[in-house]
Amino acid sequence: MNGVLKRRLLFVVGPFTGLVMFASVVMIATYLTNREYKEPYRAPAAIVDTTPRVEGLAAETAAAEATAKATPYAEAEYRTFPIVGSRVAIWAVAQLHLLFAAFVLAVPLFAFIIEVIGYKTKDSRYDRLAYEFTKLLSTSFSLTATFGAFLTFMLIALYPKFTNYLMSVFSPTFLPYVLLFFLEAFFLYTYYYGWGKFHPLVHIGLGLGLNLVGTAIMFIANAWLTFMMSPRGISDQGAVLSVWDAVWNHTWMPINVHRVIANIAFGGSVAAAYAAFKFLQAETDEERAHYDWMGYIGNFVAISAFLPLPFAGYWLAKEIYAYSQTLGLTMMGGAFSWLFIIQAVLIGNLFLAANYYLWLGMGRVEGMQPLQKFIKFLLIGIAVCFAVWATPRSIIATVSELRAMGGSTHPILGYLGVMSAKNTAVNILILTTFMSFLLYRRTGKVATVSWAKTGHAAQLTIFAAAAIIVVFLGIYGYFVEATVRIGLSVPQVSSVLAAMVSITAIDVFLFRGASRTGEVRWGKIPAISQYVLIFIAVTFTWLMGLMGYVRSGLRQHWHVYGVIRDTSVDAFTPTLGFATRVVSVTVLLFFLLIGFVFWITTLHDRPDFEQTKTRRREGSGEVSPEFAVGTAGEHRRTS
Amino acid sequence: MTIPHTVRVGVLVVAATSFYTYVGQMVPQKEVLPPQETQIRADLTTADMVKVGREIMDGKGLCFTCHTIGKTGALRFPDLEGVDTRAQSRVPGLTDIEYFAQSIYEPEKFIVPGFNPGMPVINKPPIGLNDQEILCVIAYLQTLGGKPTVTLQTSHAYYKAPGAPGGPPASGVTAEQGAAPGGAPPAPPGSAPLPAPGKPPAPVTPPGAPGTPPASPAAAPAPVAPAKGTR
């Protein structure tokens, strides 16, 4: 029964299903056919009549073309860089160019000096050290030139009118600049690739040429940028009266001096960071000893240059004030005054880190215990000076706090926020760091000259006298008129400089032929010291970025101060928070690129691929190539 | 697990940079805009001029970058509290208006004792106030210890008002800042040419002109100021 029913059902459902399926196929086919692209119907072209609309459109196109052809040339004043804007783009590129340029100018300076020391002492370690520093130059030089070209094109593209004006003023300097640049390339590559290939004196001559040409290039470029800040040699309307006066403007020479010193400090710190990086990667005691020594020399160069840097800064600030009180006051008392609190934090960190490194370094030398007891006093001195220097004149406070203080100036701390206190603090800071150096220098040595006791007493007296003069004048500054107070910084600075020079001079003779209580054990220093060196390099770089900003930003809404006004959308002075963010980004970019330079330099020392394969096959132990004799990258002078 | 040195160095670089960025965010944040051009209508009253003058001193004039009002102690530049009282007798032969004008147009001519020279020429870039703006500043300065009397028709040694004897014909138009090839408009109509350096013109204030102070008893050139001094 069931079977019969099923069969009947199949008879009924079967045709019905067939019909449904057929209908579905037809519907799908119809749907797909409708979706097929069909050429729309168009009347044959020959029979189309032109309509008034078509004629109108054609006339419009023709008129637009004619207008475009007849448009006269008009110079754009500004163009916009996408996303970050023109100012930030120029800022970052200029900063990167300057950082690499500073490095490329500084390293040959101390490489040259170290090479001369090596030649004079016949100590091949110095020669090798100088070469090691020079190895960093080749790639850095290319990057400097690339960023220089990038900056020039960016200026032409983004600030055409202003760039045109600068070109009209300084066009006579361009040809010498380019020629010097060629010479720089010649000297640099001959100096580098000619290491050990010439007579030592010829090579030293090449180094001297490299330094002279590099300094001349920087002086020319400095003329352009200092003219923007303190223009001279032009009429009230900006016409050029004397190119030489435009070059030798008020801030040119102070900037030249300031930059030479700052470049050495910066270059030394980056070279020390390279040594620190290599120290951390070193696998043998010999490597560690070498890079510890290299880091020490780099840091020594950096701090030696850093100590007189504030004095060059004073001179620059003095010239800025002499050129325009408005400019000077904008710097120290106006929009940029808080920037100097940030600067104080940076410089305080530099002093602390540099001293910490020196104190750690004393551990390398046996018999340093007698001097260790002085360190805590130095640390207290540095900490107090740092705190005074970083004290702002006016405190950020809530309304109730302001009421309680009776104004934005703290009733007690406010006295530390003025120049009298800050000048005193920075001078004592310099003296203290100098004493650290001196202690480090005499670690493990005992003076044997007959007048040793008198010499020590004289040094101590000079140091104490300088400190007393600085503190006395600092306090005296609170009780005199502004005219007198401003002048007090000169004797303060002079007494510190005189103390540094005279104490060093005595020290040189005092420790001539000194007996040693212990040898310097290079490489025997905690790894943290190497991170300190890297921290110093980062801080120096950041400081350069910040001070570059204040030098440039000081002009505020002027391209050329008082002559060419900035009418772009970026004419305002940004907040310090924004400025520091830009500085940080450029610093990180710089370290990314300098990491690339380090890596390239390391590649240079690695053995060739084939050599490595052979060694691996032979199962030889890992030996760093630069410490193995006769491997690739070995260019040591044989004399 | 030992962290590779490269990573540690990278972290140190980023951390140090971040710390300094943080310090940069902690200080007061102020964006400084370029000074706004002040539109000075020809019909400004003295009271209006006082208000405009104060605005100019706060902004475009940059006066308070150096000067203070009501501050005592060791100051780098003269405090302006009660300055009009002093201005009336500071330089023999100069009225307060003449004295203020001289301070602004030729600031090196007289330096207040106890201070160093340092004030820029205010009618030239980078500050570059025009003659009308300077009149407004003088109006405000007069309120500091005195009563404002200056009007836009007031002439002084460095400026002849339109319509005044020797001045340009009167026109209702006032001016913008003059100056530089960077795009600022040229010197305004109505501004008199500046005297040759070192050769100040004689005061030309028309006696009895509306709003002008009484004629100075000594119309002769001011005596030579001491070499050092303050304003």
Side-chain angles (χ1 to χ4, degrees):
Chain A
M1 181 63 193
N2 277 346
V4 176
L5 269 176
K6 274 185 183 172
R7 212 172 296 125
R8 282 182 186 167
L9 195 65
L10 277 175
F11 274 115
V12 176
V13 173
F16 177 74
T17 310
L19 283 171
V20 169
M21 284 172 70
F22 178 74
S24 303
V25 169
V26 170
M27 280 171 69
I28 290 168
T30 311
Y31 174 74
L32 289 175
T33 313
N34 287 343
R35 284 182 60 86
E36 185 191 2
Y37 175 75
K38 286 176 188 156
E39 194 72 36
Y41 172 77
R42 285 194 181 93
I47 59 166
V48 174
D49 292 326
T50 52
T51 61
R53 184 173 180 277
V54 171
E55 282 172 4
L57 285 174
E60 220 169 63
T61 311
E65 274 176 19
T67 313
K69 279 181 185 169
T71 306
Y73 167 75
E75 193 181 40
E77 200 167 349
Y78 299 104
R79 293 191 188 92
T80 313
F81 191 86
I83 304 170
V84 293
S86 299
R87 175 169 59 183
V88 172
I90 287 277
W91 184 350
V93 173
Q95 192 57 56
L96 285 169
H97 171 61
L98 286 170
L99 289 172
F100 275 104
F103 186 64
V104 166
L105 291 173
V107 171
L109 263 173
F110 53 82
F112 169 73
I113 294 167
I114 293 168
E115 191 189 3
V116 171
I117 294 171
Y119 177 70
K120 291 287 285 181
T121 58
K122 306 285 179 208
D123 187 341
S124 62
R125 286 183 314 149
Y126 285 101
D127 190 70
R128 192 173 132 214
L129 183 67
Y131 179 67
E132 188 108 22
F133 280 129
T134 312
K135 278 197 295 192
L136 296 167
L137 283 179
S138 176
T139 319
S140 305
F141 183 72
S142 307
L143 282 169
T144 308
T146 309
F147 276 115
F150 193 12
L151 175 63
T152 310
F153 291 135
M154 294 264 281
L155 276 171
I156 293 169
L158 302 176
Y159 292 86
K161 194 172 175 183
F162 156 65
T163 310
N164 228 4
Y165 175 71
L166 268 195
M167 284 178 171
S168 73
V169 176
F170 286 107
S171 54
T173 64
F174 291 167
L175 190 59
Y177 185 83
V178 172
L179 289 175
L180 284 169
F181 206 84
F182 272 117
L183 272 177
E184 169 91 349
F186 166 78
F187 278 121
L188 191 143
Y189 288 113
T190 323
Y191 186 66
Y192 173 55
Y193 288 108
W195 209 284
K197 314 290 183 207
F198 303 111
H199 185 277
L201 283 178
V202 173
H203 194 261
I204 285 172
L206 288 172
L208 182 66
L210 174 62
N211 281 300
L212 289 177
V213 169
T215 309
I217 286 179
M218 187 187 72
F219 277 24
I220 293 179
N222 284 351
W224 308 335
L225 65 98
T226 51
F227 172 83
M228 290 163 65
M229 183 159 70
S230 54
R232 193 176 166 218
I234 51 170
S235 70
D236 283 352
Q237 302 303 312
V240 187
L241 303 176
S242 161
V243 176
W244 179 240
D245 283 349
V247 168
W248 199 312
N249 58 69
H250 287 79
T251 52
W252 184 54
M253 205 38 87
I255 282 275
N256 287 340
V257 173
H258 195 271
R259 275 197 163 172
V260 167
I261 300 172
N263 286 353
I264 295 172
F266 169 71
S269 74
V270 174
Y274 168 75
F277 186 66
K278 294 283 281 184
F279 178 97
L280 292 170
Q281 288 187 322
E283 290 174 358
T284 65
D285 285 345
E286 195 186 4
E287 282 179 314
R288 265 187 285 277
H290 174 71
Y291 287 115
D292 182 19
W293 185 55
M294 186 181 180
Y296 167 74
I297 297 284
N299 188 56
F300 179 81
V301 168
I303 302 301
S304 302
F306 182 56
L307 289 180
L309 196 57
F311 306 128
Y314 281 141
W315 182 30
L316 175 59
K318 182 176 166 287
E319 287 302 315
I320 290 173
Y321 270 101
Y323 172 71
S324 163
Q325 288 275 339
T326 316
L327 208 56
L329 282 157
T330 304
M331 177 172 70
M332 299 305 293
F336 293 94
S337 56
W338 276 93
L339 183 141
F340 289 91
I341 298 295
I342 305 174
Q343 186 211 25
V345 172
L346 284 154
I347 294 183
N349 275 346
L350 275 178
F351 275 115
L352 273 176
N355 280 286
Y356 181 49
Y357 176 78
L358 282 175
W359 300 335
L360 284 173
M362 286 179 181
R364 292 187 195 109
V365 190
E366 291 159 8
M368 55 79 71
Q369 287 77 13
L371 300 174
Q372 214 166 14
K373 61 186 178 217
F374 294 111
I375 289 173
K376 56 179 174 291
F377 298 113
L378 295 175
L379 180 61
I380 291 167
I382 289 169
V384 169
C385 291
F386 183 10
V388 171
W389 201 11
T391 304
R393 173 76 173 139
S394 41
I395 313 276
I396 313 165
T398 60
V399 178
S400 56
E401 286 167 339
L402 287 174
R403 275 200 202 111
M405 283 195 296
S408 62
T409 307
H410 190 275
I412 299 163
L413 295 179
Y415 289 108
L416 302 179
V418 295
M419 284 315 289
S420 285
K422 288 175 190 288
N423 279 346
T424 308
V426 76
N427 279 300
I428 296 292
L429 209 50
I430 291 168
L431 266 181
T432 314
T433 307
F434 175 70
M435 284 306 287
S436 268
F437 257 118
L438 213 64
L439 287 182
Y440 180 83
R441 194 177 175 277
R442 55 176 58 178
T443 312
K445 291 180 194 168
V446 176
T448 52
V449 289
S450 57
W451 49 277
K453 207 172 172 186
T454 320
H456 286 307
Q459 283 182 313
L460 200 62
T461 310
I462 294 169
F463 177 77
I468 289 167
I469 290 171
V470 168
V471 174
F472 170 75
L473 292 177
I475 296 169
Y476 181 60
Y478 286 97
F479 301 98
V480 291
E481 286 186 337
T483 45
V484 183
R485 189 171 58 246
I486 292 163
L488 293 181
S489 60
V490 178
Q492 277 185 320
V493 166
S494 308
S495 58
V496 171
L497 273 177
M500 282 163 61
V501 171
S502 53
I503 291 174
T504 308
I506 294 171
D507 218 56
V508 168
F509 291 104
L510 193 62
F511 283 87
R512 192 166 274 181
S515 65
R516 287 199 163 274
T517 58
E519 285 304 310
V520 182
R521 297 168 301 179
W522 291 109
K524 302 290 178 197
I525 189 167
I528 193 169
S529 63
Q530 306 306 305
Y531 291 106
V532 172
L533 288 181
I534 293 166
F535 175 76
I536 288 175
V538 176
T539 307
F540 258 124
T541 313
W542 213 92
L543 182 62
M544 277 186 75
L546 185 76
M547 299 322 283
Y549 165 65
V550 70
R551 185 198 50 70
S552 184
L554 208 53
R555 302 190 311 272
Q556 297 196 296
H557 54 279
W558 296 93
H559 290 311
V560 178
Y561 191 66
V563 182
I564 304 279
R565 194 170 170 154
D566 183 354
T567 54
S568 70
V569 289
D570 295 321
F572 65 96
T573 305
T575 60
L576 286 174
F578 179 81
T580 51
R581 286 200 293 274
V582 177
V583 170
S584 287
V585 170
T586 51
V587 167
L588 289 176
L589 281 173
F590 173 75
F591 273 92
L592 206 64
L593 290 166
I594 206 77
F596 169 70
V597 172
F598 290 177
W599 177 70
I600 291 275
T601 310
T602 316
L603 274 188
H604 173 277
D605 291 330
R606 280 190 191 166
D608 292 345
F609 179 69
E610 287 300 324
Q611 253 179 313
T612 321
K613 263 200 328 192
T614 316
R615 277 188 194 182
R616 276 192 194 138
R617 263 202 303 273
E618 289 169 357
S620 65
E622 282 292 321
V623 179
S624 289
E626 63 261 51
F627 292 91
V629 180
T631 53
E634 189 72 32
H635 293 278
R636 235 57 79 222
R637 183 178 292 145
T638 49
S639 60
Chain B
M1 190 187 83
T2 312
I3 302 167
H5 288 300
T6 317
V7 176
R8 291 184 192 190
V9 168
V11 170
L12 174 66
V13 172
V14 173
T17 311
S18 306
F19 170 69
Y20 295 132
T21 316
Y22 173 74
V23 174
Q25 314 307 309
M26 288 298 101
V27 299
Q29 304 295 318
K30 191 182 172 193
E31 201 169 74
V32 183
L33 297 171
Q36 295 290 316
E37 291 301 331
T38 314
Q39 294 292 332
I40 299 174
R41 298 193 320 271
D43 59 346
L44 280 189
T45 64
T46 300
D48 294 332
M49 287 174 69
V50 169
K51 283 181 199 155
V52 174
R54 169 74 203 201
E55 276 173 25
I56 291 170
M57 287 183 74
D58 261 332
K60 185 179 172 184
L62 301 175
C63 307
F64 297 121
T65 307
C66 310
H67 293 288
T68 49
I69 297 178
K71 198 171 178 183
T72 52
L75 299 171
R76 195 154 181 189
F77 292 92
D79 186 79
L80 297 178
E81 181 77 58
V83 69
D84 191 65
T85 317
R86 296 191 292 278
Q88 287 168 19
S89 57
R90 176 80 85 186
V91 177
L94 293 189
T95 63
D96 56 347
I97 293 174
E98 291 292 347
Y99 173 75
F100 287 137
Q102 189 195 67
S103 308
I104 289 169
Y105 287 91
E106 277 190 286
E108 301 288 303
K109 191 140 192 199
F110 174 80
I111 309 294
V112 179
F115 291 86
N116 282 323
M119 177 143 156
V121 178
I122 302 297
N123 66 325
K124 288 190 173 175
I127 295 175
L129 297 189
N130 64 41
D131 298 318
Q132 286 74 24
E133 288 169 333
I134 289 172
L135 280 176
C136 293
V137 169
I138 293 175
Y140 176 72
L141 290 173
Q142 283 188 304
T143 65
L144 302 172
K147 191 170 172 268
T149 54
V150 75
T151 70
L152 285 175
Q153 285 70 47
T154 302
S155 296
H156 52 71
Y158 304 88
Y159 170 66
K160 294 179 183 70
S171 73
V173 187
T174 48
E176 304 277 317
Q177 178 196 354
S191 62
L194 286 174
K199 210 182 235 186
V204 291
T205 312
T212 53
S216 159
V224 178
K228 295 262 174 181
T230 50
R231 206 136 280 289

